[in-house]
Amino acid sequence: MGKEISVGLIGHLFMGKAHSLGYKDVAMFFPDMELKPRMKMLVGLGEESVRKAAEQYGWESHGTDYKALIARDDIDLVDIATGNDTHREMALAAAAAGKHIFCEKPMAMNVAECKDMIAAVEKAGVKHCIDFNYRCVPAVALARKMIDDGLIGKIYHWRGVYLQDWIMDPKFPLVWRLIKEKAGSGPHGDLNAHLIDLARFLVGEITEVVGMMETFIKKRPLLGEAVGGLSATAQEEMGDVTVDDATLFLARFANGAVGSFEATRFAGGRRNGNRFEINGSEGSIAFNLERMNELEYYSRNDPAYAQGFRTIIVGESAHPYMGAWWPPGHIIGWQHTFVHQVYNLCNSIGRNQMPSPNFYDGLKCQQVLEAVEVSVENREWVKVEQ
Ligand code: SOE
């Protein structure tokens, strides 16, 4: 390894920190990668707080103006880890400057914005990638391999839930994730986006949906200060919650499978429960992010006396990504999904290939999200734009 790719990251808070960890650690565990990321510049809001973050995460320089980052000739890849309402504007500017782009999910506020972003990257001829990081959990990549190898046969069911509880306290303030103009939607765009991407990755394209949404707490105190991660302080004054608190929907897949999806921030006790189960003609697979080093597998072809789910500890060098880490059984964590994503991204750019997942996957996901919203509004099944 010799060659480098210079990175500029916009956003220094929760996701900015996660992406920084990816760039910082990747070459230590994947020394064979095509292009080693060089952490050139971090941009965020608030000079003092960005300065501290840049120092802490290991960035060479910092600033508060993303346009200055994009204008630099010595930056090849622009990473957008900011709020959903800024992705389109930043991606358009980065593409116009000829930069490759790595963008947080959901790709944008709506399908129209995704299409603008695709037109911009196509015109510029740059590479693009969306951070659906759960594809990079080794157990999820293993699930994909087992499905591709035919271990569960023809798929009948997808059952996905993404359960969180961090806003259950009605006094929790109106952070940007609860404001439609900033977030686009609530757990629908935040969490169902992950489930939709995983379902597309593991089962296939979704063709038709019917959904329901609910907002349980309609007014909350205005935001005092965002503290980092998902924490924040509140003011006295109240404001309207303008996104969903929970969204559920049913779906049909192009290959004949059927699916159910549920995303909520009101599942008390479930902190980050991204779970799915897939049932096929030969067996089943089940995953729970809160036990992310395990994959449950059932085979109908086991002898009758040995029938039942078994738990695969995804910690063998034969498992995706795991050969790069520790000896067998020495497990990894949530942050390592970002290391894997950065590894895939830098390799693809180095090999002049389009990264995966990319803006086309971001658009497909947004088309499903939007079809569910239309379905909720009209109380009917809606076909997903293909
Ligand atoms: C908050 O709901 C959040 O951080 C999401 O925005 C992430 O995409 C998910 O990975 C964990 O939860």
Side-chain angles (χ1 to χ4, degrees):
M1 180 178 62
K3 290 213 234 133
E4 290 183 334
I5 178 163
S6 290
V7 185
L9 170 65
I10 315 171
H12 70 299
L13 299 176
F14 184 17
M15 280 305 119
K17 192 171 189 176
H19 290 207
S20 298
L21 183 135
Y23 296 119
K24 197 159 190 283
D25 283 357
V26 68
M28 178 168 167
F29 290 92
F30 295 88
D32 63 328
M33 68 194 302
E34 297 280 335
L35 296 173
K36 180 184 173 202
R38 177 152 174 192
M39 298 168 72
K40 278 270 172 175
M41 187 179 193
L42 176 66
V43 160
L45 295 178
E47 160 65 29
E48 183 54 11
S49 123
V50 188
R51 187 190 59 73
K52 276 197 197 140
E55 221 173 84
Q56 189 182 337
Y57 308 164
W59 290 90
E60 289 174 21
S61 63
H62 71 276
T64 53
D65 175 10
Y66 84 83
K67 291 186 176 143
L69 181 155
I70 289 173
R72 280 177 63 158
D73 287 338
D74 60 347
I75 285 180
D76 312 306
L77 169 68
V78 173
D79 182 336
I80 303 170
T82 50
N84 306 346
D85 60 333
T86 59
H87 294 181
R88 175 187 174 277
E89 166 190 320
M90 290 173 178
L92 262 49
K99 313 293 186 192
H100 304 302
I101 304 174
F102 181 33
C103 184
E104 251 311 315
K105 49 56 64 176
M107 181 164 157
M109 299 288 279
N110 51 48
V111 168
E113 286 198 0
C114 293
K115 288 185 175 170
D116 290 348
M117 290 162 75
I118 287 180
V121 291
E122 282 181 348
K123 183 167 174 223
V126 295
K127 305 281 188 272
H128 41 90
C129 183
I130 293 278
D131 188 26
F132 285 123
N133 59 311
Y134 296 127
R135 289 190 186 201
C136 297
V137 174
V140 171
L142 176 62
R144 167 71 188 256
K145 177 171 171 43
M146 290 165 73
I147 291 168
D148 286 351
D149 289 352
L151 266 66
I152 66 166
K154 177 179 162 43
I155 295 177
Y156 297 130
H157 284 285
W158 159 272
R159 211 167 293 113
V161 297
Y162 203 142
L163 311 174
Q164 295 186 342
D165 68 351
W166 56 281
I167 59 166
M168 280 191 74
D169 179 355
K171 295 200 198 80
F172 187 87
L174 262 179
V175 292
W176 69 266
R177 290 173 191 268
L178 308 186
I179 301 169
K180 192 172 173 55
E181 296 71 46
K182 291 187 181 297
S185 63
H188 188 45
D190 191 30
L191 307 179
N192 270 337
H194 280 303
L195 293 179
I196 292 164
D197 183 68
L198 288 173
R200 291 188 57 249
F201 181 56
L202 296 167
V203 181
E205 293 303 342
I206 295 167
T207 54
E208 213 181 345
V209 293
V210 64
M212 65 185 289
M213 287 183 163
E214 191 53 66
T215 304
F216 302 116
I217 307 288
K218 299 200 166 40
K219 284 193 183 291
R220 289 180 178 272
L222 296 183
L223 174 67
E225 205 191 332
V227 180
L230 294 171
S231 312
T233 62
Q235 299 178 32
E236 290 281 301
E237 207 185 322
M238 303 289 279
D240 292 331
V241 175
T242 47
V243 300
D244 51 301
D245 283 335
T247 297
L248 295 82
F249 68 97
L250 299 178
R252 288 189 185 283
F253 290 82
N255 60 9
V258 295
S260 65
F261 296 72
E262 176 182 2
T264 178
R265 293 170 174 157
F266 280 74
R270 301 293 179 208
R271 306 294 201 224
N272 201 25
N274 175 359
R275 303 167 174 215
F276 61 78
E277 180 164 307
I278 304 172
N279 310 119
S281 57
E282 305 307 312
S284 299
I285 277 173
F287 171 75
N288 174 4
L289 180 68
E290 287 172 318
R291 308 191 70 90
M292 63 170 275
N293 291 280
E294 297 174 10
L295 190 66
E296 301 278 314
Y297 168 53
Y298 162 73
S299 170
R300 280 190 61 226
N301 303 310
D302 282 344
Y305 57 82
Q307 289 273 324
F309 271 95
R310 68 185 90 156
T311 302
I312 301 170
I313 307 290
V314 188
E316 305 290 323
S317 56
H319 290 143
Y321 303 106
M322 292 308 291
W325 293 97
W326 312 109
H330 293 65
I331 57 180
I332 62 165
W334 179 80
Q335 68 275 29
H336 299 119
T337 61
F338 298 93
V339 176
H340 299 160
Q341 183 63 77
V342 164
Y343 172 64
N344 294 339
L345 170 62
C346 295
N347 274 345
S348 299
I349 296 175
R351 292 176 188 145
N352 195 23
Q353 293 165 353
M354 190 52 77
S356 175
N358 51 49
F359 280 17
Y360 301 113
D361 296 292
L363 170 65
K364 288 265 178 203
C365 175
Q366 201 83 41
Q367 284 168 329
V368 178
L369 289 169
E370 213 160 286
V372 173
E373 285 167 359
V374 173
S375 155
V376 171
E377 208 172 304
N378 300 343
R379 300 175 82 92
E380 66 187 13
W381 280 89
V382 170
K383 293 227 181 301
V384 178
E385 191 185 329
Q386 296 298 318

